[in-house]
Amino acid sequence: MEAEVTQVESNQLKQKPTDESQLGFGDIFTDHMFLANYEDGKGWINPRIVPYGDLSIDPAAMSIHYGQEIFEGLKAYRGKDGGIYLFRPKDNFRRFNISARRMCMAELDVDQAVNWMKQLILLEKAWIPKSEGTSLYIRPTMIATEPHLGVRPSRTYSFFIIIGPVGAYYKEGLDPVKIYVEDFYVRASVGGTGEVKTAGNYAASLLAAEKAKEKGFTQVLWLDAKHLKYIEEVGTMNIFFVIGDEVITAPLSGSILSGITRDSVIQIVRDWGIKVSERSLTIDEVINAAQDGTLKEAFGTGTAAVISPVGQITYKGKDHVVAGRQMGELSQRLYDEIVGIQYGQRPDKRGWVKRID
Ligand SMILES: *Cc1c(COP(=O)(O)O)cnc(C)c1O
């Protein structure tokens, strides 16, 4: 099922950004967007690509009142060879369906959704920036649309994809970030919705993130909700610690997001013959390792930043410097490897990259 295309009149096309070095994140969108609707009994209907613009939504739409909303985030990369590459796109839509099931929303056919997304990207390919580190960010989203104020799953949904050029995440190289270990607020609990990309998780995280920002921190490191003891993740990234010769990240226990970058890092590090463990890790173990010098590196992983080195961890009022506030050796090696694969410059032996043009 191809999407039906209604193109913007050529004299109505937007001005594309001219200076790629000034691209930020999440403010610029292309000329078109993809939309499809779901109705119980009919399935997904009316897939279409239309001029980018406002959605018309009933004020009683259930997503607005009860938060049935899910999303994804991935990128299309312009290689040096001019090719357009996607990185593990099916994994994003598989995860979208996991989110849909948890939130009692309609699932998509993964191949169908990837094809709709490709159709939109190819129509908008002139928008994909070319300089190093820049990309086209892709935001698939689903919202409940049925106008109804009783609490139950909606019977109708809208699925849409909006896309826009984004800048290199790091303006002055890979600057290590300062993270604040949050020991009061929690992001998610086991049995809750922490492992799905749904709006409410992010709303719930804002207050702690704002307070940390006021104190000069870039990100919050979340601890588990029950004991405020075990490491979970950082902001919108998974987190890894290199302690001695072991690379450690939290297990997928139900309260953290199963990052595709996280999984890629685990596979690559394992292939390099380095010990990597998905295991529970307490904040005390991390702080002790920072104090006795065995904590060599810490880094966050996610689509936006790929690898985000941590230069300082602050817990209960005490600052702990990590890796001399420099990007660690493994962090740099992983960044180069993953970015190299994403832009079609390094061998992709796992079949992660899909060239679409
Ligand atoms: C999206 C996200 C991640 C990273 O996932 P990737 O697939 O690697 O981009 C990690 N944590 C949270 C909370 C997220 O929303």
Side-chain angles (χ1 to χ4, degrees):
M1 201 177 11
E2 283 251 306
E4 192 178 301
V5 181
T6 308
Q7 292 231 29
V8 175
E9 299 285 335
S10 56
N11 59 359
Q12 300 287 311
L13 290 169
K14 297 178 188 172
Q15 190 77 40
K16 293 183 184 65
T18 44
D19 185 357
E20 291 187 357
S21 70
Q22 292 305 308
L23 285 172
F25 178 85
D27 296 311
I28 302 172
F29 301 98
T30 65
D31 292 297
H32 301 87
M33 60 185 182
F34 172 86
L35 280 168
N37 300 97
Y38 176 91
E39 285 177 30
D40 264 7
K42 287 190 186 165
W44 288 103
I45 52 174
N46 199 10
R48 58 205 187 275
I49 290 172
V50 296
Y52 185 96
D54 292 354
L55 297 174
S56 166
I57 186 166
D58 192 294
M62 297 178 84
S63 55
I64 300 173
H65 302 274
Y66 308 124
Q68 270 188 301
E69 189 271 5
I70 58 171
F71 66 94
E72 267 304 324
L74 68 162
K75 288 171 168 178
Y77 308 88
R78 172 80 70 182
K80 281 215 174 82
D81 59 359
I84 301 172
Y85 298 94
L86 298 174
F87 184 71
R88 306 183 65 176
K90 283 191 186 185
D91 289 326
N92 286 91
F93 284 96
R94 287 189 192 111
R95 187 170 68 190
F96 198 65
N97 278 344
I98 291 171
S99 297
R101 280 198 285 280
R102 178 64 181 83
M103 305 306 288
C104 296
M105 298 170 78
E107 287 177 50
L108 287 157
D109 180 278
V110 168
D111 293 315
Q112 176 73 268
V114 170
N115 283 335
W116 287 333
M117 176 178 75
K118 276 191 211 163
Q119 206 187 333
L120 177 65
I121 296 167
L122 292 178
L123 176 70
E124 303 286 56
K125 65 184 176 188
W127 280 89
I128 307 176
K130 294 179 180 63
S131 20
E132 196 168 317
T134 63
S135 57
L136 185 79
Y137 186 76
I138 304 159
R139 172 53 62 92
T141 311
M142 195 194 302
I143 54 172
T145 51
E146 186 185 347
H148 178 70
L149 294 185
V151 178
R152 59 157 172 78
S154 173
R155 294 175 187 137
T156 62
Y157 296 92
S158 279
F159 168 59
F160 56 87
I161 306 174
I162 52 176
I163 61 180
V166 296
Y169 197 80
Y170 301 102
K171 288 207 161 56
E172 292 99 29
L174 294 140
D175 266 349
V177 296
K178 280 163 62 173
I179 59 177
Y180 180 81
V181 182
E182 178 57 58
D183 59 359
F184 177 73
Y185 297 108
V186 295
R187 191 190 87 96
S189 59
V190 175
T193 59
E195 65 184 343
V196 304
K197 272 180 132 59
T198 186
N201 289 339
Y202 304 85
S205 76
L206 294 176
L207 183 57
E210 284 302 292
K211 289 189 170 180
K213 257 182 224 158
E214 275 167 27
K215 296 182 197 133
F217 296 91
T218 326
Q219 300 274 358
V220 167
L221 173 71
W222 299 105
L223 299 175
D224 76 286
K226 198 165 176 184
H227 310 280
L228 284 170
K229 181 174 158 187
Y230 297 100
I231 304 286
E232 296 238 310
E233 54 184 321
V234 173
T236 55
M237 292 187 288
N238 295 110
I239 185 147
F240 287 75
F241 296 91
V242 186
I243 300 180
D245 54 12
E246 185 186 16
V247 179
I248 310 159
T249 194
L252 301 176
S253 56
S255 54
I256 68 166
L257 210 282
S258 172
I260 292 163
T261 321
R262 173 189 181 278
D263 180 70
S264 305
V265 163
I266 291 171
Q267 291 194 45
I268 291 170
V269 168
R270 206 162 269 157
D271 275 5
W272 285 344
I274 300 166
K275 182 180 178 198
V276 49
S277 313
E278 295 177 70
R279 67 165 175 89
S280 302
L281 171 70
T282 63
I283 183 64
D284 288 337
E285 189 180 340
V286 170
I287 299 301
N288 289 339
Q291 281 169 343
D292 70 18
T294 50
L295 175 63
K296 293 185 190 151
E297 296 179 38
F299 55 88
T301 65
T303 296
V306 189
I307 301 290
S308 178
V310 173
Q312 180 185 318
I313 298 174
T314 297
Y315 180 52
K316 296 206 186 287
K318 273 189 80 177
D319 299 341
H320 305 272
V321 172
V322 183
R325 300 188 196 279
Q326 302 294 310
M327 179 138 187
E329 198 182 298
L330 184 70
S331 308
Q332 184 71 55
R333 190 176 168 202
L334 277 166
Y335 179 84
D336 293 341
E337 176 73 7
I338 296 174
V339 170
I341 295 170
Q342 288 171 334
Y343 286 81
Q345 279 158 269
R346 288 203 180 187
D348 169 33
K349 61 177 185 184
R350 301 169 195 85
W352 282 342
V353 162
K354 303 283 168 250
R355 184 171 178 161
I356 59 167
D357 193 47

